[in-house]
Amino acid sequence: MGPRGIKTRNIGNLYGGDRVGVISHNRAALGDLVGVTVRIGRPVTDLDAMTFVLAVSPLGVLAYDHVDVNGTFFEGASVTDNPADPARLRFGLNHGGTAGVSGEGDLAHVVFRVVGDDASVSVALEDVELSDTTATPIASQLDGASASILVRCVPGDATGDGAVNVLDVTKMERIVALLDAVPSGACPDANQDGATNVLDVTS
């Protein structure tokens, strides 16, 4: 889990040198918060501002929520977002003050909420620009990769925590008895027959 309970997991070093790329948790369920992290693979000096675009496809599965720079080496930067086009989200980050920051690794976590399911979503980084405190561009290259997030719940996961275990048996019994509602991101239909009933408890 990342900041504020957001699901994030590094899926490998997608780039090297001066390349800027994205990483994300590669699986999510309905209702989850998923963080897509923008990173740079080499140290930069005196970084003051950054702009970038995230292209999301297909639409209707992820909804943009917010940007978080806490825990990155760009921490403290102000963020301007322009979510008017959900297919191409534009962001601007500015550190402010007279001194920039130096480092490498995470620059920002762009957080999405999963609003659709049964789909594979691509989030690709486009149009990255970095500049220092003298308004001089900082050289960087896109890594050409994108984060791929599979949105699908796990049959029998009645609690919605992404795992199937003894807790799901109890939760499923309570759902069948109409004592509990189905949690966000849960799949209590263990036998996948389109209904949640005592047969799912047995399964």
Side-chain angles (χ1 to χ4, degrees):
M1 289 288 183
R4 288 167 42 178
I6 299 161
K7 289 194 172 184
T8 58
R9 180 171 66 86
N10 290 4
I11 54 176
N13 184 11
L14 302 180
Y15 49 88
D18 60 354
R19 296 184 181 276
V20 181
V22 291
I23 57 174
S24 177
H25 195 276
N26 59 2
R27 190 176 181 92
L30 189 65
D32 283 347
L33 288 179
V34 179
V36 174
T37 298
V38 180
R39 307 193 76 204
I40 188 165
R42 73 165 173 89
V44 292
T45 302
D46 198 28
L47 176 64
D48 181 63
M50 172 185 187
T51 61
F52 64 94
V53 172
L54 289 181
V56 181
S57 178
L59 294 177
V61 181
L62 300 180
Y64 167 66
D65 194 272
H66 68 279
V67 175
D68 190 352
V69 294
N70 291 331
T72 72
F73 77 86
F74 214 17
E75 188 163 359
S78 61
V79 177
T80 302
D81 57 19
N82 183 359
D85 180 358
R88 298 188 80 250
L89 300 164
R90 296 180 177 275
F91 303 94
L93 284 73
N94 190 327
H95 197 262
T98 57
V101 296
S102 301
E104 64 179 301
D106 296 354
L107 289 161
H109 308 294
V110 182
V111 181
F112 295 87
R113 185 175 297 279
V114 180
V115 295
D117 59 8
D118 201 21
S120 181
V121 183
S122 171
V123 181
L125 185 65
E126 298 180 352
D127 301 334
V128 172
E129 294 183 3
L130 309 176
S131 67
D132 65 17
T133 53
T134 66
T136 301
I138 297 175
S140 63
Q141 295 179 335
L142 289 174
D143 70 353
S146 61
S148 181
I149 303 166
L150 178 64
V151 179
R152 184 168 297 150
C153 59
V154 180
D157 176 16
T159 61
D161 65 357
V164 177
N165 51 40
V166 69
L167 298 178
D168 296 297
V169 176
T170 302
K171 188 67 170 179
M172 202 175 300
E173 289 172 339
R174 293 184 62 82
I175 291 170
V176 170
L178 303 179
L179 297 174
D180 288 355
V182 177
S184 175
C187 279
D189 182 10
N191 63 6
Q192 300 183 71
D193 66 353
T196 299
N197 52 38
V198 69
L199 297 179
D200 296 299
V201 179
T202 305
S203 295

